[in-house]
Amino acid sequence: MTYTMSKNSAPHGDLLLDWLVGRGGGSAKVLEDTLRWLCRGPENAVHGLRPFFWAREMEALGYLEIDRPKGVWAVAPATAVTLPGPDGMVYLTGGVSRTRLQKLDETLIDSGTVDACLEFVDREPVGGIPLPSAAFVLPSAGDTLRDVAGFLKQTLKFSPIACRAAARRLPTTDAPMARSAQPAAGSEVERLIPEAVGEAYGGRKMWRPAQWWNQDEPQLYRWPTPRVRYALVRDGDWWETGRDEGIYRALGPRIDVRFQEAPGTGVGRLIVPVRAQLPAPQERVAVLCSGFGAERSHLVATYANVPRDVASQIAQSLGLTLRIVK
Amino acid sequence: MRAGIPRLLQVDSVGPQVNNGVVNSQGAGGPAYRDWCRVLADALFPSAENSDGAIYLLVDDEFLAQLPQGFTHASLARAVRETLHRPGPTMFAPIAQQCYQWRRDSDHLTPPPSLPTLACSILAASRMDADHQGAGHNYYLRLAQLLAPTEEQVSLWRAALALHFSDLKPRWEELREWMEARGWSSSITELPNLRYVGYPISQAVLRQRDRRVLTQFWELIDVEPARLQPDSGTSLLENLRRWLQQGNRGFSSVFQRFVLDPNRTDWMGGLLLDLASGWHGEVLDAAGHRVERLRLSAVGHDDSYRLFWASPDGMSTFPYDDKHLHCGHEVSDGARRLRFDKAPLVVLRFNDLSDAWEAGAIETWTPLMLVFREDVVQAVKAFATDLVGADKVNGLSHGQVGKTRWVVLDAISDQERLTGAAKKLGQSLQFPVLSVLAGGERPRARLVGGLRLETSLGRHVYLAGGEPDLAYPTGELGELVDVEFDGRRQQFQRALLPLPLSSLKWLEPGMHQGRVQGSSYYFDTVTDPEAVAGRPARRRVGLEPGAWRSSVEASESALVGATVPMGLDELHGASELTVWVPRAALSAYLIGPRGQCRQLVEPPVGALWNRAFPWFPPLTYQASRSWTQGWLAVQRPDGHREVRELRAVPPDAEPRGGDVDLGVWREVVRQFAVSGTTDGWRALVATAVGA
């Protein structure tokens, strides 16, 4: 068994994961307070980060679930998922502490039939956010899915090609929404500027103060209540939505989502505008293709190792047609 | 569910087999002892995934009322009485005998058969109220009243119980061990000063409605579980006593007695601390209905703010009016009702996530906005003067919205000064303005933050590497402070920010004891988060398959819901399975019976592998196989041939899928004939060569 995990490069990511596993769940306030505490102090490596983004990244990687309306969170069950592609990598996610992984490691070594290898890979921080090292099981020659599942199942739930199963269950942006109240008088309402969504960071502002409501075409508005609230105005009615989902609902096919296939592999890169972040379920599916979060440039976010059919289902669920590029 | 977080029995979570089930073995005299064993086991012990903290075996009349018909206090008492011997030295011998057999013969999946007897003793404890027959502390009288068949025999039973109740001590310990072996955290304990009877009383302290009413108290004092400290229990208890002095509030008499009993301060403080630590912010009335509070909020900047009411989830807002601080306010929002009780002033704290001021408690290190009525201007001004000094008080940002005034105070780091000023303000307004955390009698450094895993009675456990910080209450910047932990001392210069104890490099995982400015601190650190006793079970937050983010209770998690874990049985049934094949082989074949043979072509290394493991190439690749392709034959680069049996497929099995070419098949099998050693392979070789 080879450990490549560096204890120094991303200690906060691993520490956070172990804490999540240890707590199991609780109020979102506790999670937020803890993340804020981790971000404390100018001498701290993660000083100044926003807890919200950290929690969102951890959620996308499959480690925890947050029910924001109810204000609670829970660590996701420890799960092993096989990744698409020719190399048969198995990604371990959910609530698996490092100690537990070491036990799993011993189990795999002690087992006479499965000569699987457990490997850790440091993840690059996303926007400075430290993430837990990614854990993979690399089975040896002759092992079958059944062998690996049989052993992992003692410790973990097992889910072959999770991204495909998840993609089939994605919610769609044409699903009905709940009605939203209009902003109270005096609210500082802002409107999404569609043209700015495809631009790079530092481009035009995405949100501009709105003095009146355009009811002829779908428009996304936001205002503080104090929590920022998003609503889609369509056909004269106000509909409650979230930020990411709202952008896709409002702009639909105008958002350029591309797929670039690696020749002969069946998998490729899913590329979305960096300002139109995938909604949480879609992002979870895209991340479960590789075990790594999106690589973000100033213009696009790229998800790796995505099978073409999964990319199509993600696009379809967002009301888009996937654009295939070479 | 967290260990040490007291958990009341949720009778409604018992499940349909209890609430709706039919108990067939009831005789004419009601359920038998063994029926009680089963019903109590179902009702008292939730399934493992439902457990949510230390289990309290709350057997009281409210609990019994929710059991199936016929399971009443009288039938419980009768069943226990008929099982026990007559009052005397051997009265509990039958229970001991049954438990002995249970220990020897049972698979221990069911609780020990002493359960109904112990439940009966808890029921008696729940009835410990003073009346014309006896004092409130008289336990044996209540148990005797329950068990004695006639009123005339109560004295006899009472005397016998007083002499022999100690025989049940091993039964309590046995039950506790069984619960802990099942992964539950037991709250069974022999209370200090209550020998033997402390066991049942420890289970009867808290009723369901007590916990509900307590949620109102948590909200009143603005408890934030993450900020509770080991010594917060005492403060919680003191505040609760004050609150109780103003009225009954709806607590049970037993709970009130425990709260007000000066001999139980430590124990009750620990219990309250556990309960507060597990509070998730939901406020209930005694009947279990949800009560929601309106929270005053302010948005704006500089000297222009807009005040409005917000629901606790921040998703609904309501207009603010000056009269609300005088008269209170209540609104409806769909099915829920939200209210605000009148108050002369409201404390707001800045939330940088929402970029708004939101209702909160007074505390250090946090900018505060005080929103107050005009008639308390002088009191607020005195408060601000105490904090920032007379020369600066007029320079504070302040203003008014209608007739409501506001003032903004920068973060105050001096806890002693803040506490003193807030106390003075509270006395001046005749209104509690201090949160429990800011209201300690003696300012002392406190442990803040940290990756805390568990707070059980008196025990604070942190993840190693996530040790808490030490926040100093008072003093000048730059002043040297002695910090002593685990027998080693280090001096630190007082700074604006709390001192991270993780900087004490000698703190190894384990128990830690420290002293700072005359105060003691205790906490544990562990490296294995799951090693903490009674680690929390997974809470059920998640998404339904096909309906993301809908029913939280129904699905274990998004990951499971989304990925649909496949059981081994399903894998067996899958038509196509996966096998890992060594790379750089000269040749590799998947072979099945009756001509099934497929040569595998090695694919290029995937981009994901190169990204994850750029320093070493993959040794294998993944290939799919059909169910009847039971053997992997590989010729290594050195010429060595080997056959691995993936599944022993009978030689005459009909090929399902895959390529069938008898000529190639025979040739490949011949090549690898001696490379496999299993019986299945030999049978296949015999078939191929014979053919």
Side-chain angles (χ1 to χ4, degrees), chain B residues 184-203:
Chain B
W184 292 307
S185 177
S186 167
S187 58
I188 294 172
T189 179
E190 190 175 28
L191 295 175
N193 307 320
L194 289 174
R195 211 168 171 208
Y196 307 130
V197 298
Y199 288 110
I201 292 174
S202 75
Q203 302 302 293

PDB file of all heavy atoms in Angstrom, chain B residues 184-203:
ATOM      1  N   TRP B 184     -25.628   2.126  21.433  1.00  0.00           N
ATOM      2  CA  TRP B 184     -26.350   3.272  21.962  1.00  0.00           C
ATOM      3  C   TRP B 184     -25.589   3.841  23.149  1.00  0.00           C
ATOM      4  O   TRP B 184     -24.877   3.127  23.848  1.00  0.00           O
ATOM      5  CB  TRP B 184     -27.743   2.863  22.432  1.00  0.00           C
ATOM      6  CG  TRP B 184     -28.651   2.475  21.316  1.00  0.00           C
ATOM      7  CD1 TRP B 184     -28.939   3.203  20.208  1.00  0.00           C
ATOM      8  CD2 TRP B 184     -29.374   1.244  21.185  1.00  0.00           C
ATOM      9  NE1 TRP B 184     -29.803   2.508  19.403  1.00  0.00           N
ATOM     10  CE2 TRP B 184     -30.098   1.304  19.964  1.00  0.00           C
ATOM     11  CE3 TRP B 184     -29.507   0.103  21.968  1.00  0.00           C
ATOM     12  CZ2 TRP B 184     -30.912   0.286  19.529  1.00  0.00           C
ATOM     13  CZ3 TRP B 184     -30.322  -0.918  21.532  1.00  0.00           C
ATOM     14  CH2 TRP B 184     -31.013  -0.820  20.321  1.00  0.00           C
ATOM     15  N   SER B 185     -25.794   5.074  23.372  1.00  0.00           N
ATOM     16  CA  SER B 185     -25.205   5.690  24.546  1.00  0.00           C
ATOM     17  C   SER B 185     -26.250   5.675  25.645  1.00  0.00           C
ATOM     18  O   SER B 185     -27.337   6.211  25.485  1.00  0.00           O
ATOM     19  CB  SER B 185     -24.787   7.118  24.207  1.00  0.00           C
ATOM     20  OG  SER B 185     -24.286   7.724  25.348  1.00  0.00           O
ATOM     21  N   SER B 186     -25.920   5.037  26.732  1.00  0.00           N
ATOM     22  CA  SER B 186     -26.908   4.895  27.798  1.00  0.00           C
ATOM     23  C   SER B 186     -26.785   6.038  28.788  1.00  0.00           C
ATOM     24  O   SER B 186     -25.698   6.503  29.099  1.00  0.00           O
ATOM     25  CB  SER B 186     -26.695   3.570  28.518  1.00  0.00           C
ATOM     26  OG  SER B 186     -27.425   3.563  29.719  1.00  0.00           O
ATOM     27  N   SER B 187     -27.906   6.476  29.279  1.00  0.00           N
ATOM     28  CA  SER B 187     -27.895   7.512  30.307  1.00  0.00           C
ATOM     29  C   SER B 187     -28.117   6.903  31.679  1.00  0.00           C
ATOM     30  O   SER B 187     -28.284   7.622  32.648  1.00  0.00           O
ATOM     31  CB  SER B 187     -28.993   8.531  30.008  1.00  0.00           C
ATOM     32  OG  SER B 187     -30.236   7.861  29.959  1.00  0.00           O
ATOM     33  N   ILE B 188     -28.114   5.577  31.756  1.00  0.00           N
ATOM     34  CA  ILE B 188     -28.350   4.920  33.048  1.00  0.00           C
ATOM     35  C   ILE B 188     -27.160   5.194  33.963  1.00  0.00           C
ATOM     36  O   ILE B 188     -26.027   4.911  33.609  1.00  0.00           O
ATOM     37  CB  ILE B 188     -28.519   3.401  32.865  1.00  0.00           C
ATOM     38  CG1 ILE B 188     -29.792   3.121  32.065  1.00  0.00           C
ATOM     39  CG2 ILE B 188     -28.554   2.691  34.200  1.00  0.00           C
ATOM     40  CD1 ILE B 188     -29.938   1.667  31.659  1.00  0.00           C
ATOM     41  N   THR B 189     -27.441   5.723  35.105  1.00  0.00           N
ATOM     42  CA  THR B 189     -26.360   6.019  36.042  1.00  0.00           C
ATOM     43  C   THR B 189     -26.916   6.006  37.458  1.00  0.00           C
ATOM     44  O   THR B 189     -28.096   6.268  37.675  1.00  0.00           O
ATOM     45  CB  THR B 189     -25.723   7.381  35.732  1.00  0.00           C
ATOM     46  OG1 THR B 189     -24.697   7.617  36.678  1.00  0.00           O
ATOM     47  CG2 THR B 189     -26.723   8.516  35.821  1.00  0.00           C
ATOM     48  N   GLU B 190     -26.046   5.677  38.380  1.00  0.00           N
ATOM     49  CA  GLU B 190     -26.473   5.732  39.778  1.00  0.00           C
ATOM     50  C   GLU B 190     -26.191   7.137  40.271  1.00  0.00           C
ATOM     51  O   GLU B 190     -25.048   7.531  40.424  1.00  0.00           O
ATOM     52  CB  GLU B 190     -25.717   4.701  40.612  1.00  0.00           C
ATOM     53  CG  GLU B 190     -26.287   4.542  42.002  1.00  0.00           C
ATOM     54  CD  GLU B 190     -25.593   3.441  42.769  1.00  0.00           C
ATOM     55  OE1 GLU B 190     -24.418   3.195  42.482  1.00  0.00           O
ATOM     56  OE2 GLU B 190     -26.223   2.846  43.659  1.00  0.00           O
ATOM     57  N   LEU B 191     -27.236   7.900  40.479  1.00  0.00           N
ATOM     58  CA  LEU B 191     -27.037   9.311  40.812  1.00  0.00           C
ATOM     59  C   LEU B 191     -26.312   9.456  42.145  1.00  0.00           C
ATOM     60  O   LEU B 191     -26.548   8.665  43.058  1.00  0.00           O
ATOM     61  CB  LEU B 191     -28.390  10.020  40.904  1.00  0.00           C
ATOM     62  CG  LEU B 191     -29.181  10.109  39.613  1.00  0.00           C
ATOM     63  CD1 LEU B 191     -30.543  10.721  39.879  1.00  0.00           C
ATOM     64  CD2 LEU B 191     -28.433  10.942  38.599  1.00  0.00           C
ATOM     65  N   PRO B 192     -25.463  10.474  42.233  1.00  0.00           N
ATOM     66  CA  PRO B 192     -24.801  10.714  43.512  1.00  0.00           C
ATOM     67  C   PRO B 192     -25.853  10.946  44.605  1.00  0.00           C
ATOM     68  O   PRO B 192     -26.869  11.579  44.358  1.00  0.00           O
ATOM     69  CB  PRO B 192     -23.996  11.997  43.269  1.00  0.00           C
ATOM     70  CG  PRO B 192     -23.974  12.188  41.793  1.00  0.00           C
ATOM     71  CD  PRO B 192     -25.120  11.455  41.223  1.00  0.00           C
ATOM     72  N   ASN B 193     -25.625  10.437  45.736  1.00  0.00           N
ATOM     73  CA  ASN B 193     -26.506  10.599  46.902  1.00  0.00           C
ATOM     74  C   ASN B 193     -27.821   9.827  46.780  1.00  0.00           C
ATOM     75  O   ASN B 193     -28.682   9.955  47.626  1.00  0.00           O
ATOM     76  CB  ASN B 193     -26.845  12.074  47.176  1.00  0.00           C
ATOM     77  CG  ASN B 193     -25.609  12.914  47.274  1.00  0.00           C
ATOM     78  OD1 ASN B 193     -24.611  12.472  47.849  1.00  0.00           O
ATOM     79  ND2 ASN B 193     -25.642  14.104  46.692  1.00  0.00           N
ATOM     80  N   LEU B 194     -27.997   9.107  45.702  1.00  0.00           N
ATOM     81  CA  LEU B 194     -29.233   8.327  45.560  1.00  0.00           C
ATOM     82  C   LEU B 194     -28.842   6.885  45.255  1.00  0.00           C
ATOM     83  O   LEU B 194     -28.860   6.441  44.126  1.00  0.00           O
ATOM     84  CB  LEU B 194     -30.117   8.896  44.448  1.00  0.00           C
ATOM     85  CG  LEU B 194     -30.788  10.226  44.725  1.00  0.00           C
ATOM     86  CD1 LEU B 194     -31.506  10.735  43.499  1.00  0.00           C
ATOM     87  CD2 LEU B 194     -31.763  10.096  45.891  1.00  0.00           C
ATOM     88  N   ARG B 195     -28.451   6.195  46.283  1.00  0.00           N
ATOM     89  CA  ARG B 195     -27.938   4.846  46.085  1.00  0.00           C
ATOM     90  C   ARG B 195     -29.075   3.933  45.624  1.00  0.00           C
ATOM     91  O   ARG B 195     -30.161   3.958  46.185  1.00  0.00           O
ATOM     92  CB  ARG B 195     -27.347   4.354  47.404  1.00  0.00           C
ATOM     93  CG  ARG B 195     -26.213   3.404  47.189  1.00  0.00           C
ATOM     94  CD  ARG B 195     -25.475   3.157  48.473  1.00  0.00           C
ATOM     95  NE  ARG B 195     -24.531   2.063  48.267  1.00  0.00           N
ATOM     96  CZ  ARG B 195     -24.143   1.271  49.233  1.00  0.00           C
ATOM     97  NH1 ARG B 195     -24.613   1.434  50.439  1.00  0.00           N
ATOM     98  NH2 ARG B 195     -23.284   0.311  48.975  1.00  0.00           N
ATOM     99  N   TYR B 196     -28.823   3.150  44.645  1.00  0.00           N
ATOM    100  CA  TYR B 196     -29.758   2.178  44.060  1.00  0.00           C
ATOM    101  C   TYR B 196     -30.959   2.856  43.386  1.00  0.00           C
ATOM    102  O   TYR B 196     -31.247   2.599  42.227  1.00  0.00           O
ATOM    103  CB  TYR B 196     -30.252   1.164  45.097  1.00  0.00           C
ATOM    104  CG  TYR B 196     -29.121   0.488  45.823  1.00  0.00           C
ATOM    105  CD1 TYR B 196     -29.088   0.416  47.214  1.00  0.00           C
ATOM    106  CD2 TYR B 196     -28.048  -0.063  45.112  1.00  0.00           C
ATOM    107  CE1 TYR B 196     -28.032  -0.193  47.874  1.00  0.00           C
ATOM    108  CE2 TYR B 196     -26.986  -0.671  45.765  1.00  0.00           C
ATOM    109  CZ  TYR B 196     -26.979  -0.727  47.150  1.00  0.00           C
ATOM    110  OH  TYR B 196     -25.928  -1.310  47.792  1.00  0.00           O
ATOM    111  N   VAL B 197     -31.685   3.699  44.119  1.00  0.00           N
ATOM    112  CA  VAL B 197     -32.869   4.317  43.493  1.00  0.00           C
ATOM    113  C   VAL B 197     -32.449   5.370  42.466  1.00  0.00           C
ATOM    114  O   VAL B 197     -33.272   5.843  41.686  1.00  0.00           O
ATOM    115  CB  VAL B 197     -33.797   4.962  44.539  1.00  0.00           C
ATOM    116  CG1 VAL B 197     -34.315   3.920  45.494  1.00  0.00           C
ATOM    117  CG2 VAL B 197     -33.089   6.094  45.269  1.00  0.00           C
ATOM    118  N   GLY B 198     -31.171   5.743  42.493  1.00  0.00           N
ATOM    119  CA  GLY B 198     -30.688   6.705  41.506  1.00  0.00           C
ATOM    120  C   GLY B 198     -30.828   6.182  40.084  1.00  0.00           C
ATOM    121  O   GLY B 198     -31.014   6.955  39.146  1.00  0.00           O
ATOM    122  N   TYR B 199     -30.771   4.865  39.927  1.00  0.00           N
ATOM    123  CA  TYR B 199     -30.893   4.302  38.573  1.00  0.00           C
ATOM    124  C   TYR B 199     -32.238   4.669  37.932  1.00  0.00           C
ATOM    125  O   TYR B 199     -32.268   5.276  36.861  1.00  0.00           O
ATOM    126  CB  TYR B 199     -30.718   2.785  38.601  1.00  0.00           C
ATOM    127  CG  TYR B 199     -29.293   2.337  38.847  1.00  0.00           C
ATOM    128  CD1 TYR B 199     -28.925   1.747  40.032  1.00  0.00           C
ATOM    129  CD2 TYR B 199     -28.333   2.493  37.860  1.00  0.00           C
ATOM    130  CE1 TYR B 199     -27.623   1.321  40.255  1.00  0.00           C
ATOM    131  CE2 TYR B 199     -27.021   2.069  38.057  1.00  0.00           C
ATOM    132  CZ  TYR B 199     -26.673   1.490  39.259  1.00  0.00           C
ATOM    133  OH  TYR B 199     -25.383   1.074  39.460  1.00  0.00           O
ATOM    134  N   PRO B 200     -33.353   4.295  38.558  1.00  0.00           N
ATOM    135  CA  PRO B 200     -34.625   4.654  37.905  1.00  0.00           C
ATOM    136  C   PRO B 200     -34.846   6.161  37.854  1.00  0.00           C
ATOM    137  O   PRO B 200     -35.376   6.673  36.870  1.00  0.00           O
ATOM    138  CB  PRO B 200     -35.692   3.958  38.765  1.00  0.00           C
ATOM    139  CG  PRO B 200     -35.026   3.656  40.062  1.00  0.00           C
ATOM    140  CD  PRO B 200     -33.579   3.461  39.760  1.00  0.00           C
ATOM    141  N   ILE B 201     -34.399   6.851  38.897  1.00  0.00           N
ATOM    142  CA  ILE B 201     -34.648   8.296  38.912  1.00  0.00           C
ATOM    143  C   ILE B 201     -33.854   8.982  37.799  1.00  0.00           C
ATOM    144  O   ILE B 201     -34.314   9.943  37.196  1.00  0.00           O
ATOM    145  CB  ILE B 201     -34.305   8.878  40.307  1.00  0.00           C
ATOM    146  CG1 ILE B 201     -35.313   8.354  41.327  1.00  0.00           C
ATOM    147  CG2 ILE B 201     -34.323  10.397  40.289  1.00  0.00           C
ATOM    148  CD1 ILE B 201     -35.010   8.738  42.767  1.00  0.00           C
ATOM    149  N   SER B 202     -32.666   8.434  37.492  1.00  0.00           N
ATOM    150  CA  SER B 202     -31.858   9.043  36.426  1.00  0.00           C
ATOM    151  C   SER B 202     -32.588   9.001  35.091  1.00  0.00           C
ATOM    152  O   SER B 202     -32.301   9.779  34.190  1.00  0.00           O
ATOM    153  CB  SER B 202     -30.507   8.324  36.296  1.00  0.00           C
ATOM    154  OG  SER B 202     -30.658   7.064  35.665  1.00  0.00           O
ATOM    155  N   GLN B 203     -33.523   8.080  34.959  1.00  0.00           N
ATOM    156  CA  GLN B 203     -34.243   7.958  33.692  1.00  0.00           C
ATOM    157  C   GLN B 203     -35.528   8.781  33.682  1.00  0.00           C
ATOM    158  O   GLN B 203     -36.168   8.933  32.646  1.00  0.00           O
ATOM    159  CB  GLN B 203     -34.584   6.493  33.429  1.00  0.00           C
ATOM    160  CG  GLN B 203     -33.368   5.601  33.387  1.00  0.00           C
ATOM    161  CD  GLN B 203     -32.378   6.047  32.319  1.00  0.00           C
ATOM    162  OE1 GLN B 203     -32.644   5.968  31.130  1.00  0.00           O
ATOM    163  NE2 GLN B 203     -31.238   6.560  32.759  1.00  0.00           N
TER     164      GLN B 203
END
